[in-house]
Amino acid sequence: MAVSTFLRPQESGPDSPVLEKPGRLLIGGEWGPGTSGRTFTTYDPATAAPLGELAEADASDVDAAVDAARKALRDPEWAQMSPAARARVLWRIADLIEANGDELAYLETRDQGQPLGVARGVSVPGAAEHFRYYAGWTTKIEGATSPISLPNTLHYTRREPVGVCALITPWNFPLMILTWKLAPALACANTVIIKPAEQTSLTALRLAELCLEAGVPEGVVNLLTGGPEVGRALVAHAGVDKVSFTGSTEVGREIMRSSAGNLKRVTLELGGKTPTIVAHDADLDRAVAGCVQGALFNSGQVCAAYSRFYVDRSRVDEFTEKAAAAAAALRLGPGLADTTDLGPLVTEEHLRSVDGYVRTGVEQGAELVTGGRRADGDLEKGFFYRPTVFAGVTDDMTIAREEIFGPVIPVLAYDDLDDIADRANDSEFGLAASIWTKDLSTAHTLAAAVRAGSVFVNMLHVPDAAAPWGGFKASGVGREMGPYALEAYTEVKGVFVNLDR
Ligand code: NAD
């Protein structure tokens, strides 16, 4: 059944491809080249070398995948699988992710660029734990009896699967973000069509193979590789009941509009511009270490990346100096190298976009303290960008307002803590916020005042399967993780029963 075409890490060197043959589409339990037979190339961002070819799905493949997923939804093997048996399938997927962890981490690093330590220590365990968390939920998805006032009538609720779910994912944490959708979707007995980001599809392909190996019945998990057109066709398809999308706010808006045809259920996890508030009483060394990591983790390609820093004016120079020194000391390099702290950006196109923001920052009068250019020398073939710190940033500057999604730290000063929540909230985004203080009152007052889906006090932006994840305002619609995801992947049905004899 599994048709892995991946070369093992030991078989492929740092510049060689990782795919032996073109990757395939998974439709109804069968791996195939797609109707058109067309392929596209996926690249290693550390070297710009091709990693292999992937099948490019077209509209007829989308139709076939939707048909397969609809059929599987009614197939007794899945529809009537007991919650306990479904739990065992999810648990097996988690075990297989761990058993194949080295390979998955290697693929993620080659495809996305993240340091191998991040792939091994965050992406792979994060993916496995997500399946374990939702394996626990399959046997706890409950209805309720409702205290209705109709005479002699019993009312109870059932939670049923939404149906066929299109799971459309971005390129920054390809494996982990897919599991945030796939694990709860399967826990609630839905069927899915995965559409990974075209830049980084490799770990999704491997995970789909592992799902089959774990005993997920044919047609329950389908996977289509390809570009935005494949996503568009899924979003517009009348046979798709739900879209769960993680990606840019711009595409999120388009998805909201185009899913209106059959009024699909939509969950959107979108962009962010996380405000980070460093109070006058903060432990500055701890704040600097946390802020620099919070900004530069995965080279700043994190939706919740700390990306605008409001620092008490009395400490802003010290903060900027220390942050610039810490950022400049980070070692750039290929994700496979042990010495690497920061890997490349995902594509040349994305690097140009980040550099464009940096140029705009300079033109608008921000002071470039460190970085501000592409790395050269040994790294010039890859998409490496020097970690960048700006001082003297003001609220109206583009680098303080728009999502850059790269290794850029804009520092702003503030005089009055009472104004800071308003300044932090003056943004279209509301995904996360970060607060650094030793004062309990400051921490909780600001945590309540900022408009953001998650607030991190004196810590990094670390998600957890048991805690809700999602955004206020243009950062999204709905929540993933925790019991909240069960709501997103089920419909509530009320049953009225007349008890008159
Ligand atoms: P993107 O929106 O360009 O693409 C995401 C996915 O959508 C890809 O699979 C792409 O092929 C597909 N797609 C593109 N256009 C489409 C369309 N019109 N209809 C349907 N599908 C379409 O995003 P990206 O550049 O891959 O990812 C970066 C963005 O993702 C950033 O804005 C980041 O903040 C956001 N993000 C958010 C979260 C979160 O949890 N809120 C997490 C990670 C990334």
Side-chain angles (χ1 to χ4, degrees):
M1 175 95 56
V3 288
S4 185
T5 58
F6 295 117
L7 296 164
R8 302 292 167 240
Q10 58 275 21
E11 295 159 3
S12 75
D15 289 325
S16 58
V18 300
L19 278 162
E20 232 178 326
K21 294 182 283 187
R24 302 193 148 216
L25 309 178
L26 175 62
I27 300 176
E30 298 293 325
W31 292 93
T35 316
S36 72
R38 280 202 308 270
T39 63
F40 63 100
T41 310
T42 186
Y43 296 92
D44 182 336
T47 58
L51 291 172
E53 294 292 305
L54 296 171
E56 189 165 342
D58 69 8
S60 61
D61 299 314
V62 170
D63 287 341
V66 173
D67 282 351
R70 292 225 74 82
K71 205 160 138 241
L73 199 59
R74 292 186 304 271
D75 184 344
E77 194 188 353
W78 183 240
Q80 284 161 33
M81 184 183 279
S82 71
R86 231 167 36 240
R88 283 194 290 276
V89 170
L90 265 70
W91 200 272
R92 271 200 298 275
I93 297 174
D95 287 346
L96 285 169
I97 290 173
E98 276 177 358
N100 294 277
D102 283 348
E103 184 192 11
L104 283 165
Y106 173 81
L107 290 175
E108 199 76 319
T109 291
R110 292 292 311 274
D111 206 14
Q112 199 276 334
Q114 60 193 240
L116 197 55
V118 171
R120 279 203 184 117
V122 178
S123 293
V124 170
E129 283 314 317
H130 230 78
F131 274 98
R132 294 221 170 88
Y133 177 81
Y134 284 102
W137 267 114
T138 61
T139 48
K140 296 158 199 78
I141 301 171
E142 296 176 338
T145 51
S146 318
I148 61 171
S149 300
L150 292 175
N152 212 20
T153 307
L154 167 69
H155 184 275
Y156 63 94
T157 59
R158 293 164 49 83
R159 284 203 165 267
E160 299 185 354
V162 176
V164 173
C165 304
L167 312 181
I168 305 178
T169 54
W171 46 254
N172 62 328
F173 275 99
L175 174 68
M176 203 169 64
I177 289 178
L178 173 55
T179 68
W180 296 355
K181 304 177 184 310
L182 184 58
L186 296 180
C188 298
N190 296 280
T191 60
V192 308
I193 301 157
I194 298 166
K195 209 306 273 176
E198 54 277 24
Q199 301 85 349
T200 57
S201 303
L202 300 184
T203 46
L205 282 163
R206 189 70 187 105
L207 180 60
E209 285 183 349
L210 297 178
C211 288
L212 298 183
E213 196 178 330
V216 172
E218 288 178 4
V220 171
V221 172
N222 304 277
L223 184 148
L224 300 176
T225 43
E229 282 314 313
V230 182
R232 279 197 189 95
L234 284 166
V235 172
H237 205 293
V240 173
D241 301 294
K242 177 183 169 74
V243 176
S244 176
F245 170 79
T246 298
S248 58
T249 293
E250 189 193 344
V251 173
R253 286 199 176 95
E254 188 183 330
I255 287 179
M256 195 82 163
R257 284 192 292 271
S258 6
S259 56
N262 63 341
L263 289 173
K264 287 182 180 61
R265 298 337 182 212
V266 175
T267 305
L268 301 175
E269 299 288 353
L270 309 176
K273 187 74 181 171
T274 298
T276 302
I277 300 164
V278 182
H280 68 96
D281 65 291
D283 174 338
L284 206 79
D285 288 333
R286 193 173 159 203
V288 166
C291 288
V292 169
Q293 228 202 321
L296 303 181
F297 184 66
N298 204 24
S299 301
Q301 303 167 116
V302 175
C303 50
Y306 297 169
S307 49
R308 49 192 169 117
F309 295 80
Y310 300 91
V311 184
D312 187 279
R313 194 173 297 281
S314 65
R315 313 201 68 187
V316 73
D317 290 343
E318 186 190 354
F319 177 90
T320 308
E321 200 179 301
K322 288 184 166 170
L330 293 171
R331 292 160 302 182
L332 262 67
L336 292 180
D338 292 343
T339 48
T340 294
D341 297 312
L342 292 185
L345 297 174
V346 73
T347 57
E348 175 81 36
E349 184 193 4
H350 186 52
L351 182 142
R352 286 213 197 98
S353 157
V354 170
D355 190 53
Y357 276 112
V358 169
R359 304 275 76 81
T360 304
V362 173
E363 279 157 25
Q364 293 181 346
E367 181 200 338
L368 182 61
V369 184
T370 187
R373 63 186 172 84
R374 186 179 191 148
D376 42 25
D378 291 351
L379 299 178
E380 71 187 0
K381 275 196 288 177
F383 315 130
F384 294 91
Y385 204 82
R386 296 255 165 236
T388 299
V389 176
F390 277 109
V393 178
T394 52
D395 289 345
D396 54 337
M397 288 182 184
T398 308
I399 55 171
R401 304 202 69 79
E402 295 186 15
E403 183 182 46
I404 301 174
F405 222 58
V408 180
I409 299 181
V411 184
L412 302 87
Y414 74 83
D415 295 299
D416 187 352
L417 197 62
D418 291 339
D419 294 340
I420 206 62
D422 287 345
R423 285 178 69 187
N425 290 338
D426 179 19
S427 166
E428 68 165 326
F429 299 113
L431 186 63
S434 148
I435 300 164
W436 297 82
T437 179
K438 285 194 239 163
D439 185 292
L440 267 182
S441 167
T442 302
H444 292 293
T445 306
L446 284 176
V450 290
R451 307 256 306 142
S454 301
V455 180
F456 298 95
V457 180
N458 294 330
M459 64 178 287
L460 288 176
H461 44 61
V462 196
D464 187 288
W469 186 256
F472 284 32
K473 302 191 273 182
S475 285
V477 174
R479 293 290 179 272
E480 296 191 307
M481 304 194 199
Y484 301 88
L486 304 173
E487 316 233 330
Y489 287 99
T490 52
E491 292 277 16
V492 177
K493 178 184 280 175
V495 180
F496 293 75
V497 184
N498 181 349
L499 299 178
D500 285 346
R501 286 191 186 275

